[in-house]
């Protein structure tokens, strides 16, 4: 636990510094995290990085997460990236005479969308013309509050298992505690910055961050259970891999954009 806390604080401080710096610093960090996350994803599925389908998956991740605005060009639409990637992956099944199967191609398409669009959404929020830092900190703070509430309330009061076949340590009490703390955190943001966000919207964002974030955690837990692994990687001592740490974030950020709760 001591190692986990120390490394968590160091990594958190570094991430906050990059977020505040913005621009190429933050964008480059997200590109790196996305590529590392996709590398974990390919390994989890038993594929090496240099397989044709994996290489196309990396290319798809880059097409999502590259900072096109900073590069001075229009970003390709998500549907264009998905269609072209799907077409190329399907073509690879033909050219490899089914050494790469339709199942393998589908996995790479799913991974590129899951990882690439998730991290690109984090950059899109930070890159907003108005209050990008505010919205980024709001989402991240609510997410951290949800994790903390779920952990500490679960340890103190947890008696009823939330989903034991997927994540045996999570409890209903902990989940509720995470929701409550995330909503409180969002409410504080609204009270401190009423000119940016109203109380109703803040409460809704806090609720969505907590519920969707916990579901994102369960999604990753379910996937690791299927692959019979404990962590997606080992990049951060005591914390596992990139996907272990950002599994909630890469679900929550896209969802808030798609629901128009973040004024993009």
């Amino acid at each position: 636990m001591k190692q986990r806390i120390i490394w968590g604080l160091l990594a958190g401080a570094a991430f906050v510094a990059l977020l505040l710096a913005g621009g190429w610093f933050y964008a480059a960090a997200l590109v790196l995290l996305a590529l590392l996350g996709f590398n974990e994803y390919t390994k989890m599925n038993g594929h090496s990085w240099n397989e044709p389908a994996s290489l196309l998956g990396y290319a798809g991740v880059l097409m999502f997460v590259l900072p096109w605005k900073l590069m001075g060009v229009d970003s390709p639409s998500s549907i264009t990236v998905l269609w072209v990637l799907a077409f190329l992956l399907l073509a690879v099944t033909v050219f490899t005479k089914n050494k790469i199967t339709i199942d393998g191609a589908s996995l790479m398409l799913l991974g590129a969308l899951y990882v690439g669009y998730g991290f690109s959404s984090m950059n899109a929020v930070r890159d907003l013309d108005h209050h990008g830092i505010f919205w980024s900190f709001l989402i991240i703070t609510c997410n951290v509050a949800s994790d903390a509430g779920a952990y500490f309330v679960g340890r103190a009061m947890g008696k009823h298992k939330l989903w034991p076949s997927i994540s045996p340590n999570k409890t209903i009490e902990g989940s509720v505690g995470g929701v409550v703390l995330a909503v409180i955190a969002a409410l504080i943001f609204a009270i401190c910055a009423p000119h940016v966000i109203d109380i109703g919207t803040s409460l809704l964002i806090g609720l969505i961050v907590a519920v969707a974030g916990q579901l994102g955690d369960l999604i990753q837990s379910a996937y690791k259970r299927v692959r019979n692994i404990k962590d997606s990687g080992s990049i951060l001592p005591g914390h596992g891999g990139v996907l272990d740490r950002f599994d909630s974030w890469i679900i929550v950020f896209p969802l808030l954009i798609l629901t128009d709760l973040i004024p993009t």
Side-chain angles (χ1 to χ4, degrees):
M1 179 58 70
K2 181 179 179 181
Q3 180 192 53
R4 182 183 177 90
I5 292 174
I6 292 173
W7 280 102
L9 290 174
L10 290 174
F15 190 85
V16 168
L18 290 167
L19 176 61
L20 290 172
W24 281 103
F25 294 102
Y26 188 59
L30 292 180
V31 170
L32 178 60
L33 288 170
L35 292 175
L36 290 172
F38 189 75
N39 183 58
E40 293 173 359
Y41 178 86
T42 58
K43 288 181 177 179
M44 287 167 63
N45 287 287
H47 294 272
S48 61
W49 70 269
N50 56 354
E51 294 177 13
S54 298
L55 293 174
L56 285 172
Y58 280 107
V61 169
L62 283 174
M63 292 300 289
F64 277 117
V65 81
L66 280 175
W68 299 102
K69 185 176 181 179
L70 291 174
M71 296 163 61
V73 296
D74 293 332
S75 62
S77 69
S78 298
I79 190 63
T80 298
V81 173
L82 280 176
W83 191 91
V84 171
L85 182 58
F87 168 70
L88 293 175
L89 285 167
L90 291 173
V92 164
T93 66
V94 175
F95 292 127
T96 61
K97 299 178 181 179
N98 272 334
K99 289 182 179 178
I100 295 174
T101 66
I102 186 69
D103 294 337
S106 301
L107 280 171
M108 293 302 112
L109 181 65
L110 175 63
L113 175 61
Y114 172 54
V115 177
Y117 188 70
F119 279 102
S120 72
S121 297
M122 293 170 62
N123 194 49
V125 172
R126 172 60 180 86
D127 207 30
L128 291 173
D129 293 331
H130 301 288
H131 309 297
I133 292 179
F134 174 89
W135 292 110
S136 296
F137 270 111
L138 169 61
I139 298 169
I140 292 171
T141 301
C142 289
N143 215 330
V144 172
S146 175
D147 288 343
Y151 178 78
F152 289 109
V153 174
R155 282 181 63 90
M157 304 170 56
K159 294 181 180 180
H160 303 88
K161 298 297 183 182
L162 177 65
W163 215 311
S165 62
I166 298 298
S167 186
N169 294 325
K170 289 182 171 58
T171 63
I172 294 175
E173 292 83 0
S175 178
V176 173
V179 171
V180 171
L181 199 58
V183 169
I184 291 174
L187 182 60
I188 292 173
F189 271 78
I191 293 173
C192 294
H195 59 291
V196 180
I197 184 172
D198 60 80
I199 290 178
T201 301
S202 71
L203 294 177
L204 184 56
I205 287 177
L207 178 63
I208 290 176
V209 168
V211 174
Q214 291 182 32
L215 181 57
D217 193 337
L218 288 170
I219 288 170
Q220 187 66 12
S221 295
Y223 207 92
K224 289 186 290 187
R225 188 164 290 271
V226 168
R227 298 306 185 201
N228 197 29
I229 58 175
K230 182 179 183 294
D231 296 317
S232 65
S234 57
I235 190 172
L236 195 61
H239 289 266
V242 171
L243 295 183
D244 293 313
R245 291 305 90 207
F246 289 90
D247 52 6
S248 298
W249 299 25
I250 59 178
I251 293 294
V252 167
F253 274 86
L255 184 59
L256 290 176
I257 290 176
L258 293 172
T259 54
D260 286 331
L261 286 170
I262 303 297
T264 56

